Amino acid sequence: MRNDPQLLLNTPDIEIWPGGLLRARSNHNARLLAQASHVLRRKCDGRYLAAQLPRGLMPLITRLPEAPGIEHALSVLDAHLSQPARIPPPQGELPLHHLQHCLDHLGLDSADYAAQTGLWLIPEPAHLVLAGFDRYRRPLWLTRPAARSWQRMRDAAAASGIAMDAISGYRSHDYQLGIFERKLARGLSVSEILTVNAAPGFSEHHGGNALDISAPGEPPAEESFEHTEAFTWLQQHAGDYGFHMSYPRGNPYGIVYEPWHWCWIGIS
């Protein structure tokens, strides 16, 4: 049986987390999560659906077989557990058809939005690796090459006396929709939100290669980051590790200046 504690398996509706990384919401769940090798977590609301235990699968909701996407998620988990640990999981991306409900909810047409902004649809990866933890001690998920490059870049900066921390990495399409829903509840319009956040499906964070970076003591995702030593170091050295700043001033996508947002594109 395979047990890879640092791999997030991804499906359109459900994420399959390795055990030991998710916070329990009750004493009962805490006991189960402490024993679980994997936990199935619904993407739209973060609810835990089931835990894979040594004795078998333990449902964490009633009527688990009726949960959307559960059969597919269980087949992905079964295939992963039966794969020898020495064989890496296959690369791949999730289909985009699940994204449409997010855009419909916001009244957005993907083709129109792409034409207006120059942004493009970004599928979610079929799996991501643990790249450490962010400032808030949350697991930081990235693609394997982006994770390696981030760790090398952070260590190189530290060797030069520059401290950097990650604010966020991979975000699902559903997570991006949640950002919009929270801001809509505060009274912002969709058009106002789109000046700061890309529409679901169009954020570089979906692909698992983008990072929001900050420095200790610096507020997250603020323009003031450009005045830090960490930002100066990134400008000089990030390209050596395959990272570039996606949204400089005057970028053609209509996104505000984001000196904190860096994306791994590889080294040419």
Side-chain angles (χ1 to χ4, degrees):
M1 178 179 292
R2 182 192 183 106
N3 183 16
D4 187 343
Q6 295 187 321
L7 197 66
L8 175 68
L9 306 175
N10 205 5
T11 74
D13 297 286
I14 296 168
E15 294 172 344
I16 305 168
W17 283 60
L21 294 177
L22 287 166
R23 297 177 181 177
R25 302 174 187 178
S26 69
N27 289 335
H28 173 68
N29 278 2
R31 289 191 294 271
L32 291 175
L33 267 59
Q35 305 171 47
S37 66
H38 294 84
V39 180
L40 279 68
R41 179 176 180 267
R42 189 160 56 198
K43 293 167 81 167
C44 66
D45 59 7
R47 185 166 184 183
Y48 305 154
L49 303 179
Q52 180 67 41
L53 305 177
R55 63 181 181 272
L57 189 73
M58 174 63 68
L60 299 178
I61 62 169
T62 58
R63 301 163 66 174
L64 177 66
E66 299 178 18
I70 189 64
E71 290 187 11
H72 178 48
L74 290 176
S75 69
V76 169
L77 177 58
D78 287 344
H80 175 69
L81 293 175
S82 64
Q83 187 83 333
R86 66 181 181 276
I87 300 177
Q91 301 292 324
E93 297 174 338
L94 302 186
L96 287 168
H97 62 263
H98 179 77
L99 172 64
Q100 194 56 50
H101 85 276
C102 298
L103 297 173
D104 290 343
H105 182 77
L106 299 174
L108 294 174
D109 179 88
S110 60
D112 288 345
Y113 181 75
Q116 292 168 8
T117 62
L119 298 172
W120 53 91
L121 284 170
I122 299 178
E124 299 176 20
H127 70 272
L128 300 112
V129 300
L130 185 65
F133 296 85
D134 67 16
R135 170 183 290 183
Y136 309 104
R137 299 306 300 164
R138 299 174 302 192
L140 179 69
W141 298 108
L142 296 170
T143 64
R144 193 176 300 274
R148 290 173 176 166
S149 295
W150 158 244
Q151 291 164 344
R152 289 176 55 239
M153 183 171 74
R154 181 197 56 203
D155 291 347
S160 300
I162 305 296
M164 297 188 298
D165 51 20
I167 302 301
S168 66
Y170 162 75
R171 300 175 194 158
S172 69
H173 297 157
D174 280 313
Y175 186 98
Q176 194 78 358
L177 176 61
I179 292 175
F180 276 74
E181 289 177 331
R182 289 189 290 274
K183 291 188 176 184
L184 288 169
R186 298 204 303 264
L188 295 175
S189 67
V190 170
S191 60
E192 289 173 323
I193 301 169
L194 287 173
T195 64
V196 180
N197 299 104
F202 291 86
S203 169
E204 286 186 330
H205 286 282
H206 299 323
N209 290 317
L211 276 169
D212 290 341
I213 300 174
S214 191
E218 182 68 20
E222 293 288 344
E223 192 172 309
S224 59
F225 178 61
E226 72 173 350
H227 302 299
T228 66
E229 292 182 342
F231 179 72
T232 300
W233 191 94
L234 286 168
Q235 285 186 304
Q236 296 172 351
H237 303 289
D240 298 335
Y241 301 90
F243 284 92
H244 82 294
M245 184 172 59
S246 300
Y247 306 117
R249 283 191 175 89
N251 68 80
Y253 309 114
I255 302 294
V256 296
Y257 173 46
E258 294 190 356
W260 61 85
H261 180 100
W262 297 76
C263 190
W264 183 85
I265 60 172
I267 301 172
S268 58

